[in-house]
């Protein structure tokens, strides 16, 4: 799936969270931080009060540290960024997207390939397991190494 650009104006620098390797972004800086860079990125849609998001937080931080050579890791609030939710067709929180390669196209037609990491929906659906996310990151990482 190709990720379209979000039509917004203005941009904020990402805030570092207390999770060292994960930056918080929003609709206002999505294009700058993810779409306009040549670095692969992982984006987590999360929301306050979501127990799956709370359980995923240490796993996501662990993956961010392990894969920091290959990916930039971001998180975005699901409820406060509904234009971005609609743009990427995020099904809820948590939802994880991996933006795998360099952007292609020009201007408003610039895009990137994106993979949605599936959330387990079969019992016992306890949320993302470390192996699920790690499997996707391991799959993408060798392709990124070839580009360097």
């Amino acid at each position: 799936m190709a990720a379209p650009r979000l039509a917004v104006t203005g941009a904020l620098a990402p805030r570092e969270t207390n999770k060292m390797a994960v930056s918080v972004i929003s609709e206002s800086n999505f294009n700058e931080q993810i779409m306009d860079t040549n670095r692969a990125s992982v984006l987590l849609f999360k929301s306050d009060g979501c127990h799956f998001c709370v359980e995923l937080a240490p796993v996501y931080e662990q993956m961010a540290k392990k894969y920091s050579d290959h990916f930039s890791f971001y998180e975005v609030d699901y409820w406060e960024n509904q234009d971005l939710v609609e743009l990427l067709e995020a099904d809820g929180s948590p939802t994880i997207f991996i933006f795998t390669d360099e952007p292609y196209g020009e201007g408003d037609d610039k895009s990137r390939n994106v993979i949605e990491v599936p959330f387990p929906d079969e019992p016992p659906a306890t949320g993302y397991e470390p192996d699920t996310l790690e499997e996707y990151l391991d799959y993408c990482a060798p392709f990124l190494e070839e580009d360097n």
Side-chain angles (χ1 to χ4, degrees):
M1 168 174 131
R5 296 178 58 78
L6 183 64
V8 295
T9 57
L12 302 173
R15 289 185 296 127
E16 288 296 320
T17 67
N18 57 2
K19 300 176 224 165
M20 296 169 48
V22 180
S23 297
V24 176
I25 65 169
S26 67
E27 293 169 349
S28 66
N29 62 350
F30 168 77
N31 288 337
E32 177 185 349
Q33 296 300 316
I34 293 180
M35 296 302 293
D36 294 339
T37 69
N38 291 334
R39 183 155 168 83
S41 302
V42 182
L43 178 62
L44 165 65
F45 282 89
K46 66 179 202 110
S47 58
D48 292 336
C50 164
H51 71 279
F52 288 130
C53 298
V54 171
E55 292 174 9
L56 177 60
V59 172
Y60 194 67
E61 181 179 352
Q62 173 189 352
M63 294 298 110
K65 290 176 183 174
K66 180 175 180 178
Y67 290 94
S68 63
D69 289 344
H70 302 290
F71 300 91
S72 296
F73 283 77
Y74 300 99
E75 59 186 40
V76 62
D77 185 280
Y78 180 86
W79 296 109
E80 293 180 8
N81 295 277
Q82 286 297 295
D83 286 344
L84 193 52
V85 167
E86 290 178 23
L87 180 77
L88 294 174
E89 299 177 3
D91 291 331
S93 64
T95 299
I96 298 174
F97 292 97
I98 301 173
F99 297 82
T100 59
D101 56 0
E102 293 183 13
Y104 57 87
E106 298 292 327
D108 289 341
D109 293 330
K110 188 182 255 186
S111 191
R112 293 186 75 158
N113 288 329
V114 61
I115 298 168
E116 182 176 356
V117 179
F119 188 83
D121 58 359
E122 298 296 322
T126 57
Y128 287 105
E129 298 296 327
D131 292 345
T132 304
L133 180 56
E134 192 165 17
E135 181 179 307
Y136 276 82
L137 295 175
D138 280 341
Y139 174 78
C140 293
F143 296 105
L144 302 171
E145 289 174 0
E146 292 173 5
D147 293 339
N148 293 333

